[in-house]
Amino acid sequence: MSVDVVILAAGQGSRMKSKLPKVLHKVGGKAMVQHVIDTASSLQGVNTHVVIGHGADKLREELQGQALNFALQAEQKGTGHAVAQAMPEVAEDSVVLVLYGDVPLTQAATMQEMVDIAATGDLALLTVNLKDPTGYGRIVRNSEDKVVAIVEHKDATPEQHLINEVNTGILAVKSQYLADWLPQLSSENAQGEYYLTDIIAMAANGGVKISAIQPEAEEEVQGVNNRVQLAELERWYQLQRAEWLMVNGATLADPARVDVRGNVSIGQDLLIDVNVVLEGDVVLGNDVVIESNCYLKNCTVAAGTRIKANTVIEDAVIAESCDIGPFARLRPGTQLAAKAKVGNFVETKKAIVGEGSKINHLSYVGDAVLGKDVNIGAGTITCNYDGVNKSLTEIGDNAFIGSNTALVAPVKVGAMATVGAGSTIAKPVSDDALAITRAKQTELKNWPRPKKKGN
Ligand code: UD1
Ligand code: CA
């Protein structure tokens, strides 16, 4: 049976105090609504509909290029009205799963269970027991403990306010039932809205069994209305990511001080110190060590490499047993071969660094190809930009570049060549040669230092 997922995302979210539509605020580096879309799309045979209203253009733009049907709800007349906007595109014989763009962390297993129940013809309802149920729709059960209705907080009697079992909003039911029930909704209630929740009583009266299930963790059904709740969910999400890292072989100095914003895959016996952020697609091999305060985005780090404190790496590929940092910045296009060293206050960009080569201190190496066992002295700069174009610097195997050298690209330094400290190299250097452009040192004997004028 096909599944039509309907994600409600038309509300304004005014309590976020934001120009960004609420559902585009991020958890773990990903928009909340995108979490919902991604998790739902892991189910079999899913068509996804997103009901948009406030910030509709921004949502369309942000979610473009994905297989989604957008249903515009121009005016927010309630959750029942919102689902109705998607119905024209919903299949006649499918299961409809209603989800919320601001409830980002519902698990796939929970969604699947709901869908499976609905496929049998029951109405699957996700409920949760809360110590403080204020504000939520209450689950009303009859004397046989069967769910017979949901009553919204604002419409509830004092006795009903005492009910702790609440509606999460998430439900699943066959589309043919919805097509029957939604047109029967009325807005005669405390909020003047078309409540989706009123279909529960219709189901009960129509002899459709209501199966209420509970999520494994409360956070799965937690919605975000303000930035405090956003931060709470972020912390919970990050703890799940940290646990995943530990279960799969990483030792974390503090599971509360590592943040994952993307897809990480790891080997075994990694060590990750505090305040490390892993973003985008990050692949970390066996025995990798990441010291404190490092930021790694879209990179691969092979086995045994050590990334020392305060290093920033983006769009780079690093081979095994490299030694990086502290305070290094590897920018996009950096590739380090095995056992390369990039030390403190070194910036690299589009730099291909050969095996065992060292750039240990205070250098800029951009648009460069370095052979094996090259030694770049402190303060070396590749002058790769003439104000208009970027040019390449090539350095052969075993070359030695003395400190404070300017390599004016395009330029080539041969294998085993040596460049004297303080040189400005703008012409090719032959293999095995010494190149030096330093002015000759002169000396004035017994030179009298200037003295202060006046008294
Ligand atoms: C709803 C439920 C309530 C449940 C609670 C859980 C109804 C009538 N009530 O109440 O039983 O306990 O969620 O959080 O369903 N939305 C639209 N279009 C609309 C109205 C809402 O897209 O016209 C979206 C909102 O953006 C939001 C979600 O639906 O993401 C829920 O709407 P909201 O008004 O917050 O529902 P509650 O009053 O909290
Ligand atoms: Ca409301």
Side-chain angles (χ1 to χ4, degrees), residues 60-377:
R60 278 186 209 272
E61 192 189 315
E62 202 63 36
L63 303 177
Q64 71 186 349
Q66 307 182 51
L68 299 169
N69 299 319
F70 290 102
L72 185 68
Q73 187 193 26
E75 237 187 299
Q76 280 67 62
K77 298 183 184 171
T79 49
H81 180 257
V83 173
Q85 306 315 300
M87 288 306 283
E89 298 292 323
V90 164
E92 266 174 39
D93 184 25
S94 72
V95 164
V96 174
L97 173 63
V98 178
L99 301 170
Y100 296 79
D102 58 359
V103 182
L105 301 182
T106 313
Q107 303 299 296
T110 307
M111 294 184 189
Q112 187 64 58
E113 195 181 346
M114 307 276 299
V115 166
D116 292 345
I117 290 169
T120 69
D122 290 0
L123 187 153
L125 189 63
L126 196 61
T127 72
V128 68
N129 286 295
L130 295 182
K131 261 196 218 119
D132 178 12
T134 307
Y136 289 89
R138 306 300 206 284
I139 306 298
V140 180
R141 292 175 182 265
N142 66 13
S143 54
E144 287 151 27
D145 210 32
K146 292 206 164 77
V147 176
V148 290
I150 295 176
V151 50
E152 290 304 298
H153 182 91
K154 286 182 180 157
D155 300 287
T157 63
E159 297 85 65
Q160 287 168 333
H161 279 152
L162 299 175
I163 300 172
N164 290 96
E165 188 184 7
V166 304
N167 174 31
T168 65
I170 295 169
L171 58 82
V173 70
K174 281 187 172 175
S175 59
Q176 67 220 39
Y177 290 130
L178 271 186
D180 180 18
W181 296 331
L182 289 177
Q184 298 178 48
L185 292 178
S186 119
S187 61
E188 279 168 29
N189 50 52
Q191 302 188 76
E193 289 180 2
Y194 295 93
Y195 292 161
L196 179 64
T197 44
D198 285 350
I199 69 168
I200 304 303
M202 292 179 192
N205 295 334
V208 173
K209 190 181 158 211
I210 295 144
S211 297
I213 64 164
Q214 281 75 43
E216 220 177 285
E218 218 175 87
E219 286 82 356
E220 274 196 57
V221 295
Q222 213 150 77
V224 170
N225 290 312
N226 57 43
R227 296 185 202 233
V228 175
Q229 292 170 334
L230 184 69
E232 282 167 6
L233 267 198
E234 178 73 31
R235 279 305 99 210
W236 184 73
Y237 176 80
Q238 290 303 342
L239 208 52
Q240 308 299 304
R241 308 305 307 148
E243 280 177 21
W244 183 91
L245 287 169
M246 293 186 286
V247 164
N248 285 282
T251 295
L252 305 183
D254 182 355
R257 283 185 287 171
V258 59
D259 280 51
V260 178
R261 302 172 192 151
N263 303 309
V264 175
S265 81
I266 62 166
Q268 292 187 4
D269 294 313
L270 287 89
L271 277 178
I272 301 180
D273 210 331
V274 298
N275 298 333
V276 168
V277 177
L278 306 175
E279 199 164 301
D281 294 313
V282 175
V283 179
L284 304 173
N286 293 333
D287 303 300
V288 163
V289 176
I290 306 176
E291 296 183 359
S292 56
N293 306 320
C294 289
Y295 173 81
L296 275 66
K297 181 176 182 183
N298 297 328
C299 62
T300 298
V301 182
T305 284
R306 187 176 194 102
I307 300 169
K308 292 176 182 160
N310 301 295
T311 291
V312 174
I313 301 178
E314 184 171 350
D315 290 303
V317 179
I318 295 152
E320 59 275 11
S321 306
C322 289
D323 194 328
I324 303 167
F327 295 98
R329 181 174 181 212
L330 276 54
R331 290 174 50 206
T334 297
Q335 290 180 35
L336 304 187
K339 296 185 190 136
K341 287 179 90 172
V342 175
N344 41 210
F345 309 110
V346 171
E347 174 180 344
T348 63
K349 186 218 76 176
K350 278 194 189 161
I352 298 175
V353 178
E355 195 175 322
S357 289
K358 295 174 186 157
I359 316 167
N360 275 337
H361 332 267
L362 298 155
S363 290
Y364 172 64
V365 176
D367 299 295
V369 179
L370 277 55
K372 289 182 189 172
D373 296 313
V374 169
N375 195 316
I376 305 280

Side-chain angles (χ1 to χ4, degrees), residues 9-23 25 53-55 59 73 76 102 224-225:
Q12 184 170 17
S14 51
R15 279 173 284 170
M16 294 299 282
K17 304 269 162 69
S18 177
K19 58 186 175 305
L20 196 67
K22 174 164 76 174
V23 297
H25 282 264
H54 281 283
L59 261 115
Q73 187 193 26
Q76 280 67 62
D102 58 359
V224 170
N225 290 312

